[in-house]
Amino acid sequence: MRREIFAGSAVAVLMMTTAACGSSDNYGGKAPAVQPVGDSKQVGSGYGDPYGSGSGAAPAGAADKSGPAGELKVSEIQGLGSGVTDSAGITLYRFDKDTPKPPKSNCEGDCAAAWPAVAANDASVSAGIDAALLGSVERSDGTKQLTLAGWPVYRYAKDVKAGDALGEGVGGTWHVLGPGGKPAGAGKGAGAGAEKEQKEEKPAAEAKGGELTAVQNPELGTLVEDAEGKTLYRFDKDSAWPMKIGCVDACTDTWKPAKPVDKNKVSGIAPELIGKVKRPDGTEQLTIDCWPVYSFTGDKEPGDTTGHNNKGLWFAITDKGKKAKVVG
């Protein structure tokens, strides 16, 4: 094996002349300067992924999740308290990237395959839910989606039986719907402040698992966020193969190299695309389809994409490792 390192004040180039990035090779002895990690094992997706990026079959009970809710009920959700379920006891959800005033759904395409919109017709409420909070919003395909307190209502494809709440906290943006429209459990605190607190706590808990999530951005397409909801980016002065890292020294004060994650704890991204690379300073950095990825310090809120097309060099990365499209 031959290793060459070309170092400059702005660019450090690391090359490895063996198998292509993402292969299942195990490197014995001393690790090379660039150590991509991945394997060729195909993992089923589709309904098994929170954003339905593949073609896997839906689990039993996952079909027809976009039908009417019937009578909404208040049910006890383990660890959260009171949450809203449909007439069959299936848990209902809200998406932090939607808006209640005016009601608007930002879950389309692949996102909607994994988070089916609940139809607005034939909805009623039982004790504990104010009927005046019920409403509807027209989706881009012309169908009417149920809303509660203005928030569009969804089911989750991986919930297959009454009481399941597997969608809680996915990507730090999906939450079990509470009876008043807030995330379940938020009502125990001081209104909006408690809701904000819950949003801050969820990503921190998920960060321990190193989860990455594919999210649907209405303008840019399917992007990748880290466990804190931060958009991830790739840099045109990097390259995927041969491995090249162009953001070093002061650059990393603004663009933070993303830490490696467990490829088995990603949502909506093919696990075989997840890898890591050793940087010039010896630390390891997450890669997606061999591209080193970063977060941007200019993004202040989960889901921000202010780093996209920065100086024509930085771009939000898609679930396939590509550059997100430039709008406008």
Side-chain angles (χ1 to χ4, degrees):
M1 179 178 295
R2 179 183 177 192
R3 184 180 69 182
E4 300 179 57
I5 299 179
F6 301 88
S9 59
V11 178
V13 180
L14 299 97
M15 301 176 63
M16 184 174 66
T17 58
T18 56
C21 175
S23 73
S24 58
D25 289 355
N26 294 316
Y27 300 100
K30 185 177 179 181
V34 177
Q35 187 174 351
V37 175
D39 57 44
S40 58
K41 182 179 179 182
Q42 298 297 317
V43 179
S45 48
Y47 274 87
D49 294 335
Y51 284 87
S53 60
S55 57
D64 195 27
K65 287 230 172 121
S66 60
E71 184 181 55
L72 303 186
K73 303 175 182 177
V74 178
S75 302
E76 189 70 16
I77 307 297
Q78 185 174 6
L80 294 174
S82 297
V84 179
T85 61
D86 65 14
S87 58
I90 299 298
T91 302
L92 302 180
Y93 297 87
R94 49 164 276 178
F95 185 31
D96 284 350
K97 293 185 179 180
D98 289 347
T99 59
K101 295 180 181 180
K104 177 176 172 55
S105 170
N106 286 312
C107 181
E108 304 285 350
D110 289 344
C111 174
W115 299 92
V118 177
N121 58 306
D122 192 34
S124 60
V125 299
S126 61
I129 304 174
D130 185 352
L133 296 180
L134 293 182
S136 67
V137 62
E138 184 171 343
R139 295 179 57 79
S140 61
D141 60 4
T143 60
K144 296 284 189 179
Q145 181 176 1
L146 179 67
T147 62
L148 183 69
W151 287 96
V153 179
Y154 305 83
R155 297 183 180 96
Y156 183 41
K158 291 183 73 174
D159 289 346
V160 296
K161 65 181 184 301
D164 283 353
L166 301 177
E168 170 58 32
V170 169
T173 55
W174 289 93
H175 300 286
V176 173
L177 186 63
K182 291 183 172 63
K188 295 179 180 179
E195 182 173 354
K196 182 176 184 294
E197 180 180 350
Q198 185 191 35
K199 289 180 183 179
E200 291 173 347
E201 290 178 354
K202 266 295 171 185
E206 290 178 353
K208 297 177 182 178
E211 181 179 293
L212 296 181
T213 304
V215 299
Q216 192 69 21
N217 182 287
E219 293 185 343
L220 304 180
T222 305
L223 307 182
V224 179
E225 292 183 354
D226 67 14
E228 297 180 352
K230 292 182 178 179
T231 301
L232 297 180
Y233 298 87
R234 49 175 277 186
F235 184 32
D236 271 3
K237 290 188 178 181
D238 290 347
S239 69
W241 199 259
M243 277 288 192
K244 171 183 171 182
I245 294 179
C247 182
V248 296
D249 302 325
C251 174
T252 60
D253 293 338
T254 302
W255 301 91
K256 300 296 185 181
K259 295 181 180 179
V261 302
D262 183 343
K263 67 174 65 180
N264 297 311
K265 295 181 180 179
V266 300
S267 300
I269 308 157
E272 59 266 25
L273 295 181
I274 304 301
K276 63 183 178 180
V277 62
K278 186 169 289 187
R279 293 179 53 80
D281 62 3
T283 61
E284 292 183 330
Q285 181 174 0
L286 171 70
T287 63
I288 298 178
D289 195 28
C290 305
W291 282 95
V293 293
Y294 307 78
S295 61
F296 179 45
T297 56
D299 287 344
K300 302 304 182 184
E301 299 292 336
D304 282 354
T305 56
T306 60
H308 183 57
N309 199 26
N310 186 292
K311 297 182 179 179
L313 294 172
W314 292 91
F315 299 91
I317 195 167
T318 72
D319 59 321
K320 308 298 184 185
K322 308 300 183 184
K323 293 189 290 188
K325 61 185 178 181
V326 176
V327 179

